Amino acid sequence: MELYQKTAAELSKMLRNKECSAVEVTKSVFDRIRQKEDTVGAYVTLTEDKALEKAGEVDQKLAAGEELSPLAGIPVGVKDNICTQGILTSCASKMLYNFVPPYNATAYDKLLKQDMVITGKCNMDEFAMGSSTETSYFKKTANPHDPSRVPGGSSGGSAAAVSAGEAIVALGSDTGGSIRQPAGFCGIVGLKPTYGSVSRYGLVAFASSLDQIGPMGKSVADTAMLYTAICGRDPMDATSAAREYPDFYQNLNSNVKGLTIGIPKEYFGEGIEPEVKQMVMDAVKLLEQNGATVKEISLPSTGYALNAYYIIASAEASSNLARYDGVKYGYRTSEYTSLEDMYLKTRSEGFGDEVKRRIMLGTFVLSSGYYDAYYKRAKLLQKQIAAEFAAAFEGCDVIATPTTPYSAFKLGENIDDPLKMYAGDICTVTVNIAGLPAMSLPCGMDSKGMPVGMQLIGPKFSEQTLFDAAFGYESLVGGFTTSAVEK
Ligand code: GLN
């Protein structure tokens, strides 16, 4: 087995037992990148020199017997909407094609403090708007299981990198499913944390009330390790929660006895492929056979969630993206006759079609005369959806659903039909609307040979319960073998 195929937990032990060095791990990952990147295209920017330098430092510290974080020396990919000082942070947009941040996002800074090795910046849908990584200005990313299919999005580069072995773990961001859906499509684990548990400082804003940075890995343990590293109160983010967090990795417990799993019938209805339903239900059954209790529940407003999500997310996006005006930083059109002409041309040329669609939709729903009809009603629905989840959690510990209605679709299949693309987010958007944590974990391969994801949703700050339930399932199936590290 090559080093790039291993999990962070395995490599961490090997580094301490001197079975390999951090430089060897990093070299293995970059050799794999050279082998795969032409077909997968997971990265916008690679940082090999910095990575090797950092790995060398870790080896020196280990040799000196320094006490290091379990993540020290582990190669990590970072989504390109997370600010990295001195490294291009483009959000996969022409608008930020030259933006090299003078500061670090808190989540990234925490990885540096843990002595992690940054492989580079991962491709994504432009400004995190999309579900296929096809709206990137730079390139499309392919699914490492089948390059004719999408890796999902918007954190498609992060998911593809981890699945292919082009990174050991990665950071993504999730506004309406962008960690969970690509994790599901690529056969890996991804967590969208409770809103407020990971600092958004330095995360380029899409929809500020929904955005969260989160971890992606090949195993539950890796995801728990990375989450433990990035969560926590940050005075730089006013929405960050003031609380203490345990070490989720050290606390992992695979016993599912006594766990009550709710199955919301609305997530298993029309539009969800029968094979996907079956695979998720089989996974739930396995948990039941090992001591979990399963009960049917109802979340009646699920059918309105997509409408509410696309209104709220677009409204916030239209406001957040107003800052890209060609004046302060980023792209500026080359020829213009007046200030207004400069704004107009800069924004027309700098943003792609999907981003423009969201800005127009968001501006429309916030405009006087339409605000009450759309935005206000979406906010009321948001309350309703959150209340229905809260009521459901009085009777169960976690809720299990498919992550997506279907496995990875073909490149080009949905890109010209935005509504069809949006419809695929039906299972994930409710979680962001309600501010809850949820993770996607692999529950096998379908008849197309593509991975299928199961989503586990919990009450706010129940990450340990989610990790434990997922770890229980992973242990029962004898570990996940759905990534593409062996392809
Ligand atoms: N696919 C959803 C959208 O396009 C979610 C994106 C995300 O979570 N960043 O808005």
Side-chain angles (χ1 to χ4, degrees):
M1 201 187 196
E2 302 291 334
L3 292 172
Y4 69 79
Q5 296 174 316
K6 297 194 179 288
T7 64
E10 287 165 345
L11 291 170
S12 183
K13 286 203 188 90
M14 289 177 71
L15 286 171
R16 270 153 199 81
N17 296 338
K18 311 260 182 287
E19 291 165 52
C20 65
S21 70
V23 168
E24 282 164 359
V25 173
T26 300
K27 282 192 169 153
S28 172
V29 168
F30 275 94
D31 284 346
R32 178 67 168 173
I33 290 173
R34 273 182 281 279
Q35 184 195 348
K36 280 277 157 188
E37 193 57 3
D38 278 352
T39 28
V40 176
Y43 288 94
V44 173
T45 304
L46 286 164
T47 51
E48 186 168 7
D49 292 347
K50 271 190 212 278
L52 284 168
E53 194 187 321
K54 184 75 187 187
E57 280 170 34
V58 171
D59 283 334
Q60 279 177 3
K61 288 187 190 178
L62 283 170
E66 266 185 54
E67 183 94 31
L68 297 182
S69 142
L71 285 167
I74 304 297
V76 56
V78 178
K79 188 175 181 180
D80 209 23
N81 59 350
I82 297 171
C83 283
T84 45
Q85 187 177 10
I87 305 170
L88 177 70
T89 299
S90 73
C91 283
S93 180
K94 182 176 179 181
M95 193 56 100
L96 291 176
Y97 78 105
N98 62 354
F99 176 57
V100 177
Y103 70 106
N104 283 332
T106 300
Y108 169 68
D109 210 43
K110 288 188 171 208
L111 302 189
L112 293 180
K113 294 211 170 86
Q114 308 262 331
D115 290 306
M116 291 194 83
V117 171
I118 314 301
T119 48
K121 304 297 295 288
C122 297
N123 198 22
M124 53 184 281
D125 281 298
E126 186 181 4
F127 283 104
M129 298 171 190
S131 312
S132 65
T133 314
E134 290 169 292
T135 72
S136 165
Y137 169 66
F138 299 102
K139 57 171 154 187
K140 296 185 185 12
T141 298
N143 192 305
H145 282 284
D146 173 356
S148 73
R149 293 180 185 274
V150 302
S154 63
S155 313
S158 303
V162 172
S163 181
E166 294 188 45
I168 302 301
V169 290
L171 288 185
S173 73
D174 191 313
T175 305
S178 280
I179 287 174
R180 292 159 286 156
Q181 185 255 24
F185 279 10
C186 292
I188 62 164
V189 182
L191 170 77
K192 181 265 159 191
T194 305
Y195 186 79
S197 69
V198 179
S199 171
R200 286 183 302 106
Y201 179 71
L203 169 67
V204 179
F206 163 9
S208 313
S209 78
L210 309 170
D211 300 339
Q212 273 294 279
I213 294 174
M216 304 169 90
K218 292 192 289 288
S219 69
V220 175
D222 283 14
T223 318
M225 249 189 197
L226 197 57
Y227 178 61
T228 302
I230 60 174
C231 67
R233 162 104 182 109
D234 180 12
M236 300 301 278
D237 173 2
T239 60
S240 117
R243 55 188 290 137
E244 297 292 320
Y245 298 82
D247 184 326
F248 298 92
Y249 169 63
Q250 293 299 337
N251 288 353
L252 278 179
N253 177 348
S254 63
N255 188 354
V256 295
K257 266 200 193 86
L259 181 77
T260 307
I261 307 171
I263 305 293
K265 54 175 188 275
E266 293 81 3
Y267 286 73
F268 290 83
E270 215 187 309
I272 312 289
E273 273 187 11
E275 193 181 7
V276 169
K277 278 185 225 178
Q278 192 56 50
M279 289 172 71
V280 173
M281 285 316 294
D282 287 349
V284 170
K285 182 146 271 146
L286 184 64
L287 291 168
E288 190 176 28
Q289 284 160 353
N290 286 276
T293 307
V294 177
K295 59 191 262 191
E296 190 172 298
I297 58 165
S298 176
L299 296 163
S301 298
T302 305
Y304 304 107
L306 274 178
N307 302 347
Y309 169 77
Y310 275 95
I311 289 170
I312 295 169
S314 302
E316 293 186 25
S318 73
S319 159
N320 274 325
L321 272 60
R323 72 190 69 171
Y324 305 108
D325 55 6
V327 176
K328 299 182 255 334
Y329 55 91
Y331 176 76
R332 180 189 296 175
T333 188
S334 48
E335 278 172 50
Y336 45 89
T337 51
S338 64
L339 181 62
E340 200 179 321
D341 190 43
M342 193 280 284
Y343 287 152
L344 200 80
K345 284 191 179 140
T346 294
R347 288 171 66 82
S348 303
E349 294 160 14
F351 290 132
D353 288 349
E354 185 58 34
V355 174
K356 284 179 190 158
R357 187 177 295 124
R358 308 283 178 117
I359 293 174
M360 286 191 284
L361 179 64
T363 308
F364 176 78
V365 298
L366 289 176
S367 57
S368 74
Y370 295 103
Y371 180 92
D372 286 353
Y374 297 108
Y375 187 72
K376 214 165 145 189
R377 283 172 76 192
K379 291 301 275 184
L380 285 173
L381 261 170
Q382 177 171 31
K383 274 207 183 111
Q384 177 68 23
I385 289 166
E388 286 173 12
F389 269 115
F393 284 125
E394 283 176 17
C396 62
D397 303 309
V398 298
I399 293 173
T401 76
T403 304
T404 52
Y406 36 69
S407 61
F409 47 88
K410 294 267 185 189
L411 279 152
E413 192 177 324
N414 290 343
I415 194 70
D416 298 322
D417 188 346
L419 290 183
K420 198 169 155 218
M421 187 77 92
Y422 300 171
D425 298 335
I426 179 70
C427 305
T428 48
V429 294
T430 48
V431 166
N432 304 70
I433 287 180
L436 304 174
M439 61 196 296
S440 179
L441 52 152
C443 58
M445 308 294 270
D446 68 5
S447 52
K448 298 185 202 90
M450 298 307 289
V452 167
M454 165 164 77
Q455 175 174 240
L456 294 178
I457 311 170
K460 282 186 184 166
F461 300 106
S462 68
E463 273 83 353
Q464 189 72 57
T465 310
L466 291 180
F467 282 130
D468 289 352
F471 189 51
Y473 175 72
E474 186 183 23
S475 310
L476 289 169
V477 299
F480 295 138
T481 51
T482 45
S483 80
V485 286
E486 289 183 19
K487 298 210 167 167

